[in-house]
């Protein structure tokens, strides 16, 4: 539920300034020759065919857009692999909540769910969270759909309503989430989130407050920038204070005491007011999570009408990359023991800084093409590149964008940077992969190649 996610799915595509030459490497017109196969690229099955995933069957339709590359990640559950850096972060957060928040009978206040299926309904992922039907975050170009009614969750918030409906009032959810996105060292189609939710009754919220028995959780007044229309100002401020103190203690536990923290107003459909939490780390301000007071409509619909609460969400990769100096998100999927052994710690709180593997040289190749008249998104191309190039692809940059003055057709030129994490690549093997991307772009996306 981090604010940058909603900004990313809602933003317009960036228009790049035309370069003087209109030409980039690979932009020259030349014959295809023989078209190489596009290894491992799996177009969605024909409508009516059945997709088997995690022991269940799903009927595919015109919304299905999963690839074999993404499907191969389902069930890996890096956050549950002992001594993996994401597991270390998760365990540190769990331990903090277990020790800091204890229930009436000495048991942990927060329950933890870390094995929930990543396959959810679109209702769970969107409607239960009050995300409007026309919200850009629902776009097929930004999500992985099994069909029109089921998808790979885009956030762990997809489980909020069900857990509230089950009667829980304090819980953490940890899991893998899936989004189609750009390609660079900080973005990957699969990453991991940790979600926290806590509800308060009137007695719990106002206990210890002078004249608290006269205060109310709810009222009917206009919605403002500071509160919802159903919440009293006193209740909103107390929930907001508890939320922020909880998160300040959490980041102090992870990063150490003395952190400078600031709160940035933000927007989510499912919380109000909403905030980004930023910390000053090594002299730079870093956004670490998103949070807010839960929308009462969501809480009411889940059957907790007499309670008010907060929620937050944080990306585990973001925390791990910052805490452990991990420079590239692809490393989390590495099975290279030189990477993994660095995190086999006797104590999960032991400080560790990633020691880089040898930095192997990068190879770059450009690809340019005329876009089809409709139904093209940059995320379609990024997804295709990830599927064929896999983790050989370090990043993809849109370096040239040109509209023909007469035909009004649009041409894109992308620069693909290839770099293996564990060895030196040859131009020959990169060329084979690159030709596969060219072929698949024509065959699957309907572009007109300028190769």
């Amino acid at each position: 539920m981090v604010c940058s996610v909603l900004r990313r799915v809602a933003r317009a595509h960036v228009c790049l300034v035309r370069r003087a030459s209109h030409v980039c490497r690979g932009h020259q017109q030349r014959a295809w020759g023989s078209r190489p196969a596009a290894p491992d690229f799996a177009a969605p099955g024909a409508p009516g065919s059945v997709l088997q995933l995690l022991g269940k069957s799903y009927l595919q339709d015109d919304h299905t857009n999963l690839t074999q590359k993404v499907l191969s990640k389902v069930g890996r559950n890096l956050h549950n692999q002992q001594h993996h850096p994401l597991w270390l972060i998760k365990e540190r957060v769990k331990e903090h909540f277990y020790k800091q928040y204890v229930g009436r009978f000495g048991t942990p206040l927060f329950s933890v769910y870390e094995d929930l299926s990543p396959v959810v309904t679109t209702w769970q992922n969107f409607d239960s969270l009050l995300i409007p039907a026309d919200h850009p975050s629902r776009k097929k170009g930004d999500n992985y759909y099994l069909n029109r009614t089921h998808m790979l969750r885009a956030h762990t918030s997809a489980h909020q309503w069900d857990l509230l409906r089950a009667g829980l009032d304090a819980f953490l959810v940890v899991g893998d989430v899936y989004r189609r996105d750009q390609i660079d060292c900080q973005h990957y189609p699969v990453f991991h989130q940790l979600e926290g939710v806590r509800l308060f009754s009137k007695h719990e919220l106002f206990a210890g407050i002078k004249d608290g028995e006269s205060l109310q959780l709810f009222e009917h007044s206009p919605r403002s920038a500071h509160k919802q229309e159903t919440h009293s100002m006193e209740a909103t401020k107390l929930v907001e204070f508890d939320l922020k103190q909880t998160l300040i203690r959490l980041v102090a536990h992870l990063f150490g005491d003395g952190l400078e923290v600031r709160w940035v107003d933000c927007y989510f459909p499912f919380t109000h007011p909403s905030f980004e939490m930023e910390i000053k780390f090594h002299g730079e301000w870093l956004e670490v999570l998103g949070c807010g007071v839960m929308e009462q409509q969501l809480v009411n619909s889940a059957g907790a009408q007499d309670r008010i609460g907060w929620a937050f969400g944080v990306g585990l990769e973001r925390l791990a990359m910052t805490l452990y100096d991990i420079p590239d998100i692809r490393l989390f999927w590495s099975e290279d023991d030189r990477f993994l052994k660095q995190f086999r710690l006797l104590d999960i709180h032991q400080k560790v800084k990633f020691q880089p593997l040898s930095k192997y040289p990068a190879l770059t190749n450009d690809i340019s093409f005329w876009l089809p008249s409709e139904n093209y998104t940059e995320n379609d191309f990024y997804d295709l590149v990830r599927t064929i190039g896999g983790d050989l692809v370090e990043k993809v940059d849109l370096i040239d964008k040109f509209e023909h003055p007469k035909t009004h057709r649009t041409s894109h030129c992308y620069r693909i940077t290839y770099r293996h994490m564990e060895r030196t690549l040859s131009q020959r093997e990169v060329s084979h992969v690159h030709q596969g991307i060219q072929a698949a772009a024509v065959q699957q996306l309907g572009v007109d190649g300028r190769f």
Side-chain angles (χ1 to χ4, degrees), residues 40-51 58-69 71 140 143-148 180 380 383-384 387 440 443-445:
D40 297 329
F41 186 82
S49 59
V50 175
L51 173 66
Y58 300 91
L59 197 63
Q60 298 185 75
D61 57 26
D62 61 349
H63 230 57
T64 306
N65 65 349
L66 284 169
T67 65
Q68 289 293 51
K69 176 70 175 178
L71 286 172
K140 182 178 175 180
N143 299 285
Y144 289 105
Y145 285 93
L146 282 71
N147 52 39
R148 285 189 174 272
R180 305 176 87 207
D380 289 335
D383 211 37
L384 181 147
T387 298
Q443 296 163 4
Q444 302 295 334
L445 303 182

Side-chain angles (χ1 to χ4, degrees), residues 75-222:
R76 289 281 301 274
N77 297 326
L78 299 183
H79 62 289
N80 288 336
Q81 294 183 17
Q82 192 170 17
H83 299 299
H84 190 279
L86 299 181
W87 175 86
L88 289 174
I89 296 290
K90 180 198 71 173
E91 291 299 311
R92 291 183 66 188
V93 174
K94 283 170 55 179
E95 183 187 77
H96 172 74
F97 274 88
Y98 283 163
K99 288 184 175 180
Q100 289 291 318
Y101 307 98
V102 179
R104 286 182 297 171
F105 305 105
T107 56
L109 180 65
F110 284 82
S111 52
V112 178
Y113 297 86
E114 52 196 12
D115 294 303
L116 298 176
S117 172
V119 179
V120 298
T121 65
T122 53
W123 187 91
Q124 288 173 299
N125 199 80
F126 300 119
D127 300 88
S128 74
L129 297 168
L130 312 180
I131 297 174
D134 60 350
H135 196 277
S137 65
R138 290 178 179 254
K139 289 191 301 183
K140 182 178 175 180
D142 291 325
N143 299 285
Y144 289 105
Y145 285 93
L146 282 71
N147 52 39
R148 285 189 174 272
T149 60
H150 290 81
M151 63 187 295
L152 296 178
R153 63 188 169 209
H155 42 206
T156 47
S157 305
H159 302 287
Q160 270 188 24
W161 190 92
D162 293 304
L163 294 173
L164 292 173
R165 188 69 173 178
L168 299 174
D169 56 13
F171 55 83
L172 304 177
V173 180
V174 194
D176 44 337
V177 298
Y178 298 78
R179 294 198 189 116
R180 305 176 87 207
D181 211 332
Q182 65 201 72
I183 301 177
D184 58 36
C185 66
Q186 296 187 28
H187 293 90
Y188 204 78
V190 191
F191 58 104
H192 298 75
Q193 277 189 343
L194 185 146
E195 184 98 3
V197 168
R198 185 174 184 185
L199 299 185
F200 300 88
S201 66
K202 176 183 174 180
H203 172 75
E204 289 168 331
L205 189 62
F206 296 134
I209 302 295
K210 184 179 180 180
D211 298 324
E213 63 276 2
S214 66
L215 300 176
Q216 301 297 322
L217 293 180
F218 306 112
E219 66 179 25
H220 294 286
S221 58

